[in-house]
Amino acid sequence: MGGKDKLLVCQGCEMWIEYSKSRLSFKGVSFENTKADGFEYRCKKCIKLADLETRLEVCECNWEEVREGAVATEVSGEVGGTGLDETTNRFSTLEVEEVMSDRIEEGAVVLPGSDSVAPPTAGASDGSVEGGGEGLWEVEKVEGKCLLVGDSLVRFADRGFSCGYKQKRMCACLPGARVEDINKMVNRVVGDEEVVVVQIGTNNLRRDCQSVLRSRFKELICRLKSTRAKIAICGILPRFDGRVAGSTIRGHNRWLELECEGEGVKFVDLSSFWGRRDLYRKDGLHLHNEGATVLGRLISSGVEGFLN
């Protein structure tokens, strides 16, 4: 096959590029490798565009929440309080710049068979068990104590999740976080909770191919199980922004449910959000206050079996 016939198509913009200009050869990826099932190529421009769009989504969400907070403050001053509890964090949330750290690399590719994950080892510096957390996993678990951790979709979910259990249930929100960010922070967020629930993955959908996303979830489950808490993983919520196909999300959730079953981990099915565009903000990605409350209640009912 001549050099002029060695063409790749970007999965983002669907533009063709010559293999010799893709720089894949510098990464040890031969042209024959690109023909394998599960291989996806994205050009540098598409990767940068996806990163900028994600930053913009987070900024728009934060700005809308600032405006809603101002209105809530006014109402509180007039009628003596809204009666709603704000989301409680015991650690600093990730800044947008930190979450969107430089992960851009031309030609984001994954070869088939690269989704194996080694279990975390003591003393690792990537979030498994660090020196500062010695004895962390030996902490006695408090019966009934439950932690919900996730990206911006869980903000205000405590209104439904913690209702009636304010002393033992906490919601930790990490705006813009992806699965790999939670992986690195397991030993910071998990303490004496009997149950840990994670709702994450939306921000990975447009950046990670199937095999990478599955690999990240496998690592997440492995790290969480090492904490000796009872673990629940939520399915990825539908998106109504037109940027991710519904079949992609459904396919991932089917895989995740089977993976959780095989690992002895609780899977929280959120499929009831399909068709519920009314629970989302104008962007079709983030939940408004009522939607967050519905999410919290659904997650709460999903983990009741752990706590009874």
Side-chain angles (χ1 to χ4, degrees):
M1 179 180 292
K4 64 179 181 179
D5 296 324
K6 293 184 177 181
L7 298 176
L8 299 171
V9 62
C10 171
Q11 299 298 316
C13 62
E14 298 185 350
M15 295 292 290
W16 292 88
I17 184 173
E18 294 181 17
Y19 169 77
S20 59
K21 296 181 179 180
S22 69
R23 301 183 65 83
L24 293 180
S25 60
F26 292 98
K27 303 175 184 179
V29 181
S30 67
F31 182 73
E32 288 69 26
N33 291 143
T34 67
K35 300 300 182 181
D37 293 338
F39 180 91
E40 292 185 4
Y41 172 78
R42 291 183 184 272
C43 65
K44 185 176 182 179
K45 290 183 178 180
C46 285
I47 295 174
K48 286 185 176 180
L49 178 61
D51 183 73
L52 290 173
E53 288 178 340
T54 302
R55 289 171 182 254
L56 180 60
E57 289 170 358
V58 173
C59 291
E60 289 176 343
C61 176
N62 290 341
W63 174 241
E64 188 169 346
E65 286 163 357
V66 168
R67 288 187 296 180
E68 289 180 355
V71 172
T73 300
E74 293 177 2
V75 173
S76 177
E78 294 174 1
V79 301
T82 61
L84 298 176
D85 294 322
E86 297 299 322
T87 298
T88 303
N89 289 304
R90 66 156 173 258
F91 56 92
S92 300
T93 59
L94 294 175
E95 296 294 338
V96 174
E97 291 77 9
E98 179 182 351
V99 176
M100 306 304 174
S101 58
D102 187 15
R103 305 185 186 116
I104 300 176
E105 184 177 358
E106 182 175 7
V109 297
V110 173
L111 296 178
S114 63
D115 57 355
S116 59
V117 179
T121 57
S125 61
D126 57 357
S128 51
V129 181
E130 297 180 351
E134 292 180 3
L136 178 63
W137 308 145
E138 302 302 324
V139 174
E140 184 177 354
K141 303 300 181 181
V142 176
E143 184 178 358
K145 193 171 184 180
C146 188
L147 169 68
L148 168 61
V149 59
D151 53 28
S152 57
L153 290 173
V154 305
R155 181 178 280 127
F156 305 122
D158 55 333
R159 297 171 178 179
F161 179 71
S162 303
C163 183
Y165 305 93
K166 295 181 181 180
Q167 299 301 317
K168 287 195 173 183
R169 294 193 183 183
M170 184 176 69
C171 180
C173 174
L174 298 166
R178 303 190 187 105
V179 180
E180 58 269 32
D181 297 311
I182 303 297
N183 283 338
K184 295 175 182 178
M185 300 183 69
V186 167
N187 63 326
R188 288 178 56 192
V189 301
V190 180
D192 60 356
E193 293 82 11
E194 179 188 11
V195 178
V196 177
V197 188
V198 178
Q199 207 293 310
I200 198 72
T202 296
N203 295 320
N204 292 82
L205 290 173
R206 298 186 62 233
R207 294 182 61 90
D208 296 338
C209 65
Q210 184 183 83
S211 59
V212 170
L213 185 54
R214 292 181 177 182
S215 173
R216 298 195 194 285
F217 268 98
K218 286 182 178 181
E219 181 179 1
L220 175 63
I221 292 173
C222 183
R223 293 187 186 279
L224 289 172
K225 287 177 67 176
S226 71
T227 68
R228 298 170 55 199
K230 298 174 182 177
I231 307 302
I233 306 291
C234 299
I236 294 181
L237 285 169
R239 293 177 57 148
F240 296 96
D241 58 355
R243 295 178 177 177
V244 178
S247 58
T248 299
I249 300 176
R250 286 189 173 96
H252 168 77
N253 286 340
R254 284 194 294 269
W255 170 84
L256 183 58
E257 182 174 11
L258 293 174
E259 182 69 15
C260 287
E261 181 180 351
E263 292 290 338
V265 171
K266 172 73 175 179
F267 176 77
V268 180
D269 185 6
L270 303 179
S271 59
S272 59
F273 272 79
W274 287 103
R276 295 301 307 274
R277 178 65 177 82
D278 58 303
L279 297 177
Y280 289 73
R281 296 180 177 177
K282 293 181 180 179
D283 62 6
L285 175 62
H286 298 95
L287 301 172
H288 53 54
N289 289 348
E290 181 184 352
T293 301
V294 172
L295 174 63
R297 290 172 180 166
L298 191 60
I299 294 176
S300 177
S301 63
V303 300
E304 283 299 324
F306 276 156
L307 302 172
N308 293 331

